[in-house]
């Protein structure tokens, strides 16, 4: 993936655990354009790549803005951003890429953000409000003090905003069953936040029309090259055929498809290696898949696979990939 360098222009502490970073082009010029939902992958060192969503105004070409939650138990990327990055530093990034785009043909947009998951939602809100779209944001945090971008969110969304402060107990938080009970005609739902909220919201919206629910998980990235999680019982060896190059490789039980592709010098985009960032999305031309990702929706699973984590379904001997 193409890389570029950007310079840290400003850093602000938004809450005790969240810092906002502003970046500008090293030459002070315009930065590559992006759409709401997009993220940058920060190449912090050879073994630490972290994705952070852009929260600024997509029409403002002079700067990128993001916010980073300091994760004590993460792979170290967020701690690096919090503790080692200063104004004036030049960082290497990949992107912007967008795995969480708005559905421009939606009649209305319902946004649910949990904690630091507000970052892409803020950019979405700026765009949707500027274009006169029908939008409402539910913003879930522990308390007003731990709510990043409080004033900015209010300014962007105005009355189309509901805060849910749960005091640390999700039982006191957003009532997803009520909020998602009846999808409005043509509505699309966007969810961004930690896994617990994401899974609960997806379950509460399981009756929404196919293709109308979009989500992005915010979780600790791990360092590329770390050992994959132990294979669940029953994983079996299978083949992958690369339709474009005509090559066939064997995926053993102790390797992912992505690792086999890397071993054979096939380039694959990646960030999380855990099935949630979307970067390794690959076209699927044949074979039954055991989808283990958090990223693809049901329609996309017909002809795509996240090669960092998903495998051939039990009994399947070969997957045909569109690479
Ligand atoms: S690398 Fe993130 S989904 Fe595969």
């Amino acid at each position: 993936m193409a890389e570029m360098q950007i310079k840290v222009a400003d850093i602000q502490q938004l809450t005790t655990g969240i810092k906002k970073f502003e970046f500008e082009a090293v030459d002070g010029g315009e930065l590559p354009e992006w759409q709401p939902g997009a993220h940058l992958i920060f190449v912090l060192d050879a073994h630490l790549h972290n994705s952070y969503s852009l929260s600024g105004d997509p029409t403002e070409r002079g700067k990128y803005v993001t916010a980073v939650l300091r994760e004590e138990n993460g792979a170290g990327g967020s701690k690096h951003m919090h503790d080692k990055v200063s104004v004036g530093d030049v960082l290497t990034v990949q992107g912007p890429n967008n795995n969480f785009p708005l559905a421009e043909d939606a009649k209305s947009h319902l946004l649910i953000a949990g904690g630091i998951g507000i970052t892409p939602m803020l950019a979405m809100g700026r765009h949707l409000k500027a274009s006169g779209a029908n939008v409402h944001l539910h913003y879930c945090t522990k308390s007003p003090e731990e709510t990043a971008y409080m004033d900015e969110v209010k300014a962007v969304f105005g009355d189309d905003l509901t805060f849910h402060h749960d005091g640390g107990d999700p039982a006191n938080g957003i009532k997803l069953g009520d909020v998602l009970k009846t999808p409005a005609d043509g509505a699309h739902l966007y969810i961004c936040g930690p896994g617990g909220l994401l899974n609960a919201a997806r379950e509460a919206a399981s009756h929404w029309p196919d293709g109308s629910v979009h989500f992005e998980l915010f979780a600790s990235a791990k360092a590329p090259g770390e050992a994959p999680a132990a294979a669940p019982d029953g994983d079996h060896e299978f083949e992958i055929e690369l339709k474009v190059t005509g090559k066939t490789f064997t995926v053993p039980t102790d390797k992912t498809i992505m690792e086999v592709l890397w071993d054979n010098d096939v380039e694959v985009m990646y960030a999380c290696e855990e099935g949630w960032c979307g970067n390794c999305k690959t076209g699927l031309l044949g074979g039954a898949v055991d989808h283990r990702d958090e990223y693809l929706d049901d329609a996309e699973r017909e002809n795509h696979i996240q090669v960092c984590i998903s495998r051939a379904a039990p009994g399947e001997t070969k997957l045909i990939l569109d690479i």
Side-chain angles (χ1 to χ4, degrees):
M1 206 185 317
E3 292 187 347
M4 68 175 163
Q5 304 216 294
I6 54 177
K7 189 160 90 178
V8 183
D10 191 37
I11 301 175
Q12 285 177 38
Q13 193 85 40
L14 296 183
T15 68
T16 48
I18 297 177
K19 276 185 176 179
K20 172 181 171 183
F21 293 82
E22 290 190 12
F23 303 94
E24 60 190 15
V26 173
D27 66 1
E30 286 196 339
L31 290 159
E33 56 183 337
W34 58 284
Q35 302 299 323
H39 66 273
L40 291 172
I41 297 173
F42 286 74
V43 183
L44 301 172
D45 70 33
H47 300 289
L48 208 50
H49 295 194
N50 274 43
S51 294
Y52 296 117
S53 294
L54 295 172
S55 60
D57 182 347
T59 64
E60 202 175 327
R61 296 290 302 278
K63 68 177 176 184
Y64 289 148
V65 183
T66 191
V68 178
L69 169 68
R70 193 177 198 283
E71 294 181 279
E72 297 302 332
N73 299 320
S78 68
K79 281 188 266 189
H80 180 106
M81 291 292 289
H82 270 250
D83 302 343
K84 301 203 172 133
V85 172
S86 307
V87 172
D89 287 357
V90 173
L91 303 183
T92 300
V93 294
Q94 299 170 345
N97 298 306
N98 198 348
N99 300 319
F100 192 41
L102 287 164
E104 295 291 350
D105 58 347
K107 289 188 185 161
S108 64
H109 304 261
L110 185 60
L111 278 47
I112 298 179
I116 192 66
I118 190 63
T119 46
M121 303 292 189
L122 198 43
M124 289 175 167
R126 294 183 209 281
H127 171 79
L128 291 169
K129 280 293 191 178
S131 57
N134 182 344
V135 56
H136 191 96
L137 170 70
H138 291 271
Y139 185 10
C140 311
T141 67
K142 190 171 172 188
S143 64
E145 298 71 40
E146 297 191 41
T147 300
Y149 288 121
M150 172 80 92
D151 293 340
E152 227 168 315
V153 165
K154 285 181 183 170
V156 168
F157 287 90
D159 292 338
D160 296 314
L161 169 66
T162 309
F163 286 108
H164 303 265
H165 304 304
D166 67 8
D169 180 357
N172 298 326
I174 184 171
K175 302 293 178 253
L176 290 166
D178 296 339
V179 170
L180 301 174
K181 188 172 180 185
T182 311
D185 180 41
H188 278 239
L189 169 66
Y190 308 82
I191 314 154
C192 187
L197 174 73
L198 193 117
N199 289 335
R202 285 175 68 195
E203 197 176 319
S206 57
H207 59 294
W208 280 51
D210 279 355
S212 67
V213 178
H214 315 269
F215 52 90
E216 192 162 71
L217 177 67
F218 262 65
S220 308
K222 71 187 180 73
E226 268 182 36
D233 285 348
D235 273 359
H236 65 289
E237 185 177 289
F238 58 97
E239 288 189 335
I240 48 171
E241 179 183 331
L242 312 193
K243 198 69 186 170
V244 176
T245 57
K247 293 182 179 161
T248 297
F249 304 117
T250 299
V251 181
T253 54
D254 62 344
K255 286 203 171 185
T256 64
I257 297 175
M258 189 157 74
E259 288 169 328
V260 170
L261 294 171
W262 285 341
D263 288 348
N264 290 282
D265 296 325
V266 180
E267 197 173 320
V268 187
M269 292 199 302
Y270 72 95
C272 71
E273 289 189 85
E274 292 175 335
W276 55 264
C277 76
N279 277 283
C280 69
K281 181 176 173 181
T282 300
L284 175 73
L285 299 173
V289 173
D290 176 7
H291 290 283
R292 298 177 180 179
D293 64 283
E294 300 267 1
Y295 177 74
L296 297 173
D297 63 27
D298 287 345
E300 290 174 309
R301 286 183 173 190
E302 298 285 316
N303 48 18
H304 291 91
I305 177 172
Q306 298 304 121
V307 293
C308 67
I309 193 162
S310 296
R311 306 181 65 82
E316 181 61 84
T317 55
K318 186 195 271 190
L319 300 179
I320 305 173
L321 305 181
D322 191 13
I323 46 179

